[in-house]
Amino acid sequence: MKKYFLIVVLIFFVSCNKQTDRNKDNFVIGFSQCTTDDDWRKTMNEEMFREIRLSQTDRFKLIIKDAKGDNQKQIDDIEELVNSGIDLLIVSPNEADPLTKVVNETFDKGIPVITVDRNINSNKFSAYIGADNFVVGKEAGLFAVELLNKKGKIIEISGLKGSTPAMERASGFRDAIQNYPEIQIIKSINGDWLMENSIISTDTLFNNLRDFDLVFAHNDVMAYGAYLSAKKYGIKPFIIGIDGLNNPNAGVQFVLDGYINGTFLYPTGGDKAIQLAMAILNKEPYERYNYLNTIKIDKSNARMTRLQGEQIGDQQSKIDVLDGQLSDMYSVLRTKNTFLLLTSSLVVLVLLIAVLTFYIMINKNRINKELGNKHKIISLQYNTISKQRDDLIRMLKITEETKEKKLQLLTNIYHEFRNVLTIIKPPVKELMDFQHNEIVSKKLSVVNKGAERLLRLSEEILNYTNNNIYNTVLTYTNINLSKFVSNNIDVFKQKIIEKRIKLIQNIQEEIYIDCDVSVIEKVMYNLLSNAIKYSYEGGKIVISLIDKDTNVLITIKNSGKGIPSTDLPHIFTRLYQAKNLNSGLKNEGTGIGLALCKELVQLHGGRINVDSVENEFAEFTVIIPKNHQQLNFEDEALTGSFGISPDKEVNNSAKENTILVVDDNPDILRLIVNIIKNEYNVITAYNGEKGLEQVLNNSPDIIISDILMPIMDGMTMCIKIKNNPLISHIPIILLTAVDSTDSNVKGLEVGADAYITKPFNEELLKMTIRNLIAKRNRYKDIFGFTKFVENFSRTKAKEDQDFIKKCIKYIYENIEDEHFTIDHLSELMNVSRSSLYKKIKRIAGLRAVDFMKAAKLNYAARLLFNSNLTVSEIAWKSGFSDTKYFSKCFSIQFGSNPSVFRNKLINQN
């Protein structure tokens, strides 16, 4: 229906257009005038405009360019006229040779060319109009013969050299006097058609030459110049001019005043040139050469010619008045016709619009019903999916809590085992000290071995719970580390003696630090145990304790097997064991000890390094801070390194990316910060609610979050972030204690970009962060839709950032409402429409409507990236009711249609 309506309207307006202007072709005539410095040329221009007006049509437009006697300017004028799209060129060449080329080029382009008064040196023109200059010159020559009575000396004042009138008039004059040998042209000077040049040339000439009888000037103004010079020197020669203009200061008046003896009428032909141009453009027949008649004007007919000119002038004035009146009447009539036609058109258009409106209303009601039904189905599906998601999150929380309760239960069982074994072992030991028969001794031995076995099993439970370091809460105490390390060494002295190992201690006295005693103890036990285990009998162990600035260095170096260079990068990886270290040893390790050491040291805010040469030595260095600053999450700004002094070589200003870490356990926060602080700027939060605030305020590049937290858990925070278009592009890494495929799937279903199980590998965490940042930057560089908000949050003032973010927030809150307009936005922003327009234009560099459209299109781009909705559904959810219009706008914004854009995203991913 819409299609047929548009066709009817189009036909209607085309017919209207034909009625208003039956002659639909309009023509532009360009005239390149060589000069307008003399009255003859001005008269030509006036005749042309008068003829255009008398045509009583708007079909012809005349443009005149004045070359001011400059050949190059006339060439440039013609090229400019041609480039502007003229339909016909009229040209009066300043000089023939210089203008021939450009006129030829114009003619070759298919543009008709009329030469007026002067011609070019080729046949590439459509028509010529003007008097026959040769004939005019010959008539002047015959008049000179008559005045001189066939005997005398003549001075000739020529026009511009190179112009065809000058050459032809000179040729005609000489042809007339060649049969009279007693008449001679004794001097020919150049006047360039100008009176000033004529005066200058004749003044110099007449000062030295007085023996002549007649002056022949190629036009009247040069003849008048010669009269003035002759009068100055008291000379009274005959003077002949050409042009015969009937103006107050022109040729006819010069004859009446006795300045010159005669002139010859040389018509301008301006009106004839326009008539000829119209005939050519209307494709009517015309003559190529059009010569205008000339007559001699002297004392005998000058007065009559003058009177006729005045009468013609009066009549022309009356004609101009009548022409103006006719033009006014024509304009009024045309306005009435146009108004009548528009009125009729409006009536018909109103009827058509009424029909279309009725059809649209019926169609809209049908579409609204369909959309309503679809909306109900989508709402029902959304509610079902939301309920399933909430159930999954609840199950995941329960699983997390169950895992933590299991760990706690295992820890409690360990303590109960220890209590029971504490009761059993002393009596058994006491009974074994007494003398018994062989049978009793064997039975007691079995009981003792069983107790030891139970003790080892309980130790395994303890190791399992201790390995879940992420549930550890550190308790800091100020201790004398020197004494503490010495006491730990004493525990291993018996083993050192048994292997005949030489022990060297370089321990500074009285070094006090804030530390968790159990952490330092576990690290010392693991490192000392390994040093003894992997030392050769008779080897050497060097233990050093050094106070260095704000840190303390504990170094344990042993001679022995050492660690192969291929194993060094992996030595702190959980469950990794160097293959040649355990060969020949009875009690092989589990690959947990060193990984546990590194995690404990990092949790304590320090780091551990290793250096080794295979079959020579292995050296472990533990660096821990001397002072502990307890984090106060309620008061601290939560930026930077959280009370931990960064390494001096780290340049925070050079870090491009910012990471938000969210966890309710301060020690876990500290551990993750220590892992990533050297590569990234870090901000923290201690629950999901605070984390969401940090995201909105700081727009980090990556979010790392625990799941189980008070107030708002990590899952809920993740959902809120992914449902907020302002921040939904930020990748999220969720940390969990539950290691299962179902749990990972549940985490990804709520929008998480990665899911890492505790205890996590340090390199795995770093690589996941790098990959997510690289992926985000790739989409940002290729498609740019993640830049939309960032463009206004990183380069603008805080007030402007807040204003733009608030605008986008309101747009996205009403994104599905296709009737949401700038007026609604200005009401929500509590500013006037004009103020909103100006402020958005100043900040964003876009018109308000374009800004709103861009926001909707960026929202659509994210839906294409993050959802499986169809293009039509995305268009509707982005506030576009017309899918075709949505695709067109999307293509303009992103350089490809939505389907191609989505395929690019899939390929890039």
Side-chain angles (χ1 to χ4, degrees):
M1 182 67 181
K2 288 182 182 178
K3 181 178 177 182
Y4 296 136
F5 172 76
L6 291 173
I7 292 173
V8 170
V9 171
L10 183 61
I11 293 172
F12 178 75
F13 278 108
V14 168
S15 64
C16 291
N17 187 52
K18 286 183 177 180
Q19 289 296 324
T20 38
D21 189 4
R22 292 181 182 176
N23 298 316
K24 59 190 178 79
D25 294 327
N26 295 312
F27 299 106
V28 179
I29 301 171
F31 178 33
S32 175
Q33 179 68 282
C34 59
T35 181
T36 57
D37 286 344
D38 60 76
D39 290 339
W40 192 85
R41 299 283 171 184
K42 293 176 182 176
T43 301
M44 179 188 290
N45 295 350
E46 290 172 0
E47 288 178 355
M48 287 186 172
F49 280 118
R50 185 180 298 117
E51 190 64 28
I52 288 285
R53 289 198 303 271
L54 289 173
S55 67
Q56 289 295 323
T57 177
D58 292 336
R59 295 177 57 218
F60 298 97
K61 178 183 178 182
L62 177 64
I63 301 173
I64 296 180
K65 293 283 187 180
D66 179 10
K68 300 185 183 302
D70 186 331
N71 291 328
Q72 186 57 48
K73 185 175 189 312
Q74 189 164 28
I75 292 171
D76 295 339
D77 287 345
I78 292 173
E79 290 177 346
E80 183 180 346
L81 287 169
V82 171
N83 292 333
S84 68
I86 59 172
D87 299 289
L88 182 141
L89 174 67
I90 301 174
V91 58
S92 181
N94 191 52
E95 293 185 63
D97 283 341
L99 271 297
T100 298
K101 181 181 177 183
V102 70
V103 174
N104 287 348
E105 291 173 350
T106 303
F107 186 78
D108 290 339
K109 291 179 180 178
I111 299 174
V113 176
I114 298 174
T115 56
V116 179
D117 174 37
R118 305 176 183 182
N119 215 330
I120 57 173
N121 292 335
S122 82
N123 289 321
K124 290 189 176 182
F125 58 89
S126 304
Y128 166 79
I129 188 167
D132 190 330
N133 283 290
F134 182 84
V135 172
V136 172
K138 190 168 185 177
E139 290 292 330
L142 295 174
F143 186 41
V145 170
E146 179 184 340
L147 290 174
L148 293 173
N149 196 19
K150 302 179 183 180
K151 181 180 179 181
K153 297 178 180 178
I154 300 173
I155 293 176
E156 180 185 27
I157 305 176
S158 166
L160 182 67
K161 286 185 177 180
S163 65
T164 55
M167 294 186 289
E168 291 172 359
R169 290 176 185 181
S171 178
F173 188 82
R174 283 165 173 74
D175 185 70
I177 66 172
Q178 67 179 347
N179 296 322
Y180 303 95
E182 294 187 57
I183 296 177
Q184 296 180 355
I185 299 175
I186 62 172
K187 189 71 174 178
S188 180
I189 60 176
N190 186 21
D192 292 337
W193 305 112
L194 302 175
M195 182 175 69
E196 294 82 0
N197 289 2
S198 174
I199 292 172
I200 294 171
S201 299
T202 55
D203 184 73
T204 303
L205 180 64
F206 294 172
N207 187 36
N208 299 312
L209 177 64
R210 310 244 179 128
D211 184 17
F212 61 92
D213 303 296
L214 183 142
V215 176
F216 168 50
H218 285 193
N219 69 6
D220 291 337
V221 294
M222 291 192 297
Y224 180 65
Y227 163 76
L228 294 176
S229 294
K231 183 180 178 181
K232 176 181 178 181
Y233 293 104
I235 306 171
K236 293 184 179 181
F238 296 111
I239 300 176
I240 300 173
I242 297 175
D243 279 349
L245 279 182
N246 201 352
N247 292 341
N249 294 308
V252 175
Q253 189 64 43
F254 292 161
V255 173
L256 288 173
D257 292 339
Y259 301 151
I260 62 178
N261 296 91
T263 183
F264 290 84
L265 177 63
Y266 188 81
T268 65
D271 53 346
K272 303 297 182 183
I274 294 299
Q275 293 170 9
L276 184 59
M278 290 179 177
I280 293 173
L281 292 173
N282 288 327
K283 301 188 185 305
E284 297 172 358
Y286 64 93
E287 295 290 337
R288 189 175 191 215
Y289 291 96
N290 302 270
Y291 293 108
L292 303 175
N293 295 323
T294 183
I295 61 171
K296 180 178 74 173
I297 302 172
D298 57 12
K299 285 284 188 180
S300 63
N301 62 356
R303 187 169 300 281
M304 183 180 64
T305 304
R306 178 66 178 160
L307 291 173
Q308 289 176 344
E310 290 176 353
Q311 290 176 355
I312 292 171
D314 292 339
Q315 291 175 356
Q316 188 64 57
S317 299
K318 293 176 181 179
I319 290 172
D320 289 341
V321 172
L322 289 173
D323 178 58
Q325 292 174 349
L326 285 172
S327 297
D328 293 340
M329 292 175 64
Y330 179 73
S331 297
V332 171
L333 181 62
R334 187 170 54 185
T335 302
K336 287 182 178 180
N337 290 338
T338 303
F339 179 75
L340 181 61
L341 185 62
L342 288 176
T343 304
S344 303
S345 304
L346 187 61
V347 172
V348 174
L349 189 60
V350 168
L351 291 175
L352 290 173
I353 290 174
V355 174
L356 181 63
T357 303
F358 180 72
Y359 170 77
I360 290 174
M361 288 180 64
I362 295 174
N363 198 44
K364 184 178 180 182
N365 290 334
R366 179 180 60 80
I367 293 173
N368 285 341
K369 287 180 181 179
E370 293 178 359
L371 289 176
N373 293 332
K374 286 184 179 179
H375 186 68
K376 288 179 182 178
I377 294 170
I378 292 172
S379 297
L380 183 62
Q381 291 175 344
Y382 178 77
N383 292 334
T384 303
I385 292 171
S386 297
K387 186 176 181 304
Q388 292 174 348
R389 182 196 64 198
D390 294 340
D391 291 341
L392 288 172
I393 292 173
R394 199 159 37 250
M395 291 170 61
L396 188 58
K397 288 180 185 177
I398 292 171
T399 306
E400 288 273 345
E401 292 170 354
T402 302
K403 177 70 179 289
E404 291 191 357
K405 288 179 180 177
K406 281 182 181 179
L407 295 175
Q408 185 62 44
L409 177 62
L410 289 173
T411 303
N412 293 339
I413 290 173
Y414 160 72
H415 286 295
E416 291 302 319
F417 269 118
R418 296 286 293 187
N419 291 337
V420 172
L421 291 172
T422 301
I423 296 172
I424 292 174
K425 282 186 67 68
V428 172
K429 177 80 171 164
E430 190 176 336
L431 287 173
M432 289 180 67
D433 290 340
F434 288 99
Q435 294 295 327
H436 297 288
N437 58 39
E438 187 176 348
I439 296 173
V440 174
S441 295
K442 286 181 179 181
K443 289 181 178 181
L444 287 174
S445 177
V446 170
V447 172
N448 188 54
K449 289 179 180 178
E452 289 178 353
R453 174 63 177 160
L454 284 173
L455 185 60
R456 285 196 299 272
L457 289 173
S458 66
E459 289 293 337
E460 289 182 13
I461 295 173
L462 179 63
N463 285 337
Y464 177 78
T465 57
N466 281 344
N467 285 340
N468 192 356
I469 190 170
Y470 303 97
N471 292 321
T472 303
V473 178
L474 301 184
T475 302
Y476 289 88
T477 307
N478 189 270
I479 65 169
N480 185 339
L481 186 62
S482 304
K483 184 176 180 181
F484 180 79
V485 170
S486 297
N487 291 338
N488 277 272
I489 294 171
D490 289 342
V491 175
F492 291 91
K493 276 189 176 180
Q494 184 61 38
K495 290 185 178 181
I496 291 172
I497 292 171
E498 289 176 1
K499 291 190 71 171
R500 295 181 291 105
I501 295 172
K502 182 179 179 181
L503 178 65
I504 300 173
Q505 299 184 53
N506 298 322
I507 299 175
Q508 294 182 8
E509 295 183 359
E510 305 296 322
I511 299 177
Y512 287 88
I513 68 168
D514 296 332
C515 68
D516 186 307
V517 175
S518 63
V519 168
I520 304 301
E521 185 179 46
K522 289 185 181 75
V523 173
M524 288 295 298
Y525 267 64
N526 269 287
L527 294 180
L528 282 170
S529 176
N530 283 345
I532 295 169
K533 183 190 299 184
Y534 296 112
S535 291
Y536 296 126
E537 286 195 14
K540 181 174 67 173
I541 295 176
V542 180
I543 302 173
S544 303
L545 179 62
I546 302 170
D547 184 351
K548 186 177 181 181
D549 298 328
T550 59
N551 297 320
V552 175
L553 280 66
I554 304 173
T555 303
I556 299 175
K557 180 178 181 180
N558 70 285
S559 60
K561 290 180 174 293
I563 304 170
S565 58
T566 54
D567 292 321
L568 276 177
H570 313 288
I571 202 70
F572 294 112
T573 302
R574 184 174 291 273
L575 301 180
Y576 181 86
Q577 299 180 59
K579 293 181 180 178
N580 68 331
L581 290 184
N582 292 326
S583 58
L585 296 175
K586 294 181 179 179
N587 298 318
E588 294 187 355
T590 61
I592 293 177
L594 289 178
L596 179 62
C597 284
K598 182 175 183 180
E599 290 163 356
L600 288 171
V601 170
Q602 286 181 334
L603 187 63
H604 207 282
R607 64 183 186 274
I608 183 170
N609 300 324
V610 61
D611 185 25
S612 178
V613 176
E614 189 174 2
N615 295 321
E616 290 188 18
F617 72 89
E619 181 180 48
F620 289 86
T621 302
V622 177
I623 305 169
I624 54 176
K626 288 197 297 185
N627 298 317
H628 166 70
Q629 295 177 335
Q630 187 65 37
L631 288 176
N632 185 346
F633 292 104
E634 297 293 346
D635 300 329
E636 199 168 318
L638 302 176
T639 58
S641 301
F642 321 99
I644 304 171
S645 299
D647 294 339
K648 292 181 180 179
E649 68 271 18
V650 175
N651 182 6
N652 289 331
S653 63
K655 300 172 186 174
E656 295 182 2
N657 301 110
T658 299
I659 297 179
L660 168 66
V661 183
V662 188
D663 201 303
D664 61 325
N665 188 324
D667 297 306
I668 296 178
L669 271 181
R670 184 176 296 278
L671 174 65
I672 298 174
V673 168
N674 284 328
I675 291 174
I676 65 175
K677 69 179 181 179
N678 291 332
E679 296 182 48
Y680 307 100
N681 296 314
V682 187
I683 55 177
T684 65
Y686 58 92
N687 63 48
E689 185 177 79
K690 294 293 183 183
L692 188 59
E693 289 180 9
Q694 290 281 41
V695 175
L696 291 171
N697 292 332
N698 297 290
S699 295
D701 297 286
I702 294 283
I703 301 167
I704 303 173
S705 175
D706 191 20
I707 290 180
L708 291 179
M709 293 181 292
I711 304 177
M712 182 188 292
D713 59 78
M715 288 286 191
T716 304
M717 182 188 73
C718 181
I719 292 170
K720 287 184 178 293
I721 290 173
K722 292 303 179 180
N723 286 338
N724 186 338
L726 287 171
I727 52 177
S728 62
H729 60 282
I730 302 175
I732 301 175
I733 301 173
L734 287 180
L735 304 177
T736 179
V738 180
D739 185 11
S740 71
T741 302
D742 289 341
S743 299
N744 292 350
V745 171
K746 291 169 188 174
L748 296 174
E749 282 180 350
V750 299
D753 296 87
Y755 198 80
I756 298 179
T757 305
K758 301 176 186 177
F760 54 79
N761 179 278
E762 176 183 337
E763 290 303 319
L764 174 63
L765 177 63
K766 288 182 177 180
M767 186 57 66
T768 303
I769 293 171
R770 292 190 196 108
N771 288 342
L772 287 175
I773 289 177
K775 178 181 176 182
R776 181 171 180 266
N777 290 338
R778 186 163 64 249
Y779 288 127
K780 184 188 297 183
D781 293 338
I782 296 173
F783 301 109
F785 63 83
T786 58
K787 290 183 177 178
F788 183 68
V789 178
E790 293 177 3
N791 285 342
F792 310 117
S793 62
R794 293 191 175 181
T795 61
K796 307 294 180 183
K798 182 66 166 61
E799 181 184 351
D800 292 340
Q801 292 179 26
D802 294 340
F803 181 83
I804 287 294
K805 286 182 179 179
K806 195 174 180 183
C807 285
I808 298 174
K809 173 178 175 289
Y810 286 132
I811 292 171
Y812 286 157
E813 284 178 354
N814 299 274
I815 191 73
E816 295 184 12
D817 183 3
E818 61 180 281
H819 302 297
F820 184 75
T821 64
I822 295 297
D823 292 331
H824 297 126
L825 180 60
S826 63
E827 289 178 10
L828 293 172
M829 293 296 293
N830 198 27
V831 295
S832 67
R833 179 188 175 92
S834 60
S835 297
L836 182 71
Y837 264 88
K838 290 178 182 177
K839 198 159 187 177
I840 290 179
K841 180 67 175 178
R842 178 179 62 80
I843 300 172
L846 297 170
R847 295 186 307 156
V849 289
D850 293 333
F851 176 81
M852 181 181 287
K853 187 191 296 181
K856 290 181 177 182
L857 290 171
N858 277 268
Y859 181 83
R862 289 181 184 165
L863 289 180
L864 286 166
F865 180 43
N866 294 322
S867 74
N868 294 320
L869 297 173
T870 65
V871 172
S872 298
E873 290 171 332
I874 289 174
W876 177 67
K877 291 185 73 67
S878 304
F880 292 87
S881 57
D882 188 340
T883 305
K884 290 184 179 178
Y885 177 67
F886 164 71
S887 296
K888 178 182 178 182
C889 294
F890 195 94
S891 297
I892 294 172
Q893 181 81 359
F894 295 106
S896 61
N897 64 47
S899 300
V900 173
F901 180 82
R902 172 175 271 172
N903 291 334
K904 285 182 181 178
L905 286 171
I906 293 171
N907 293 335
Q908 287 296 324
N909 197 24

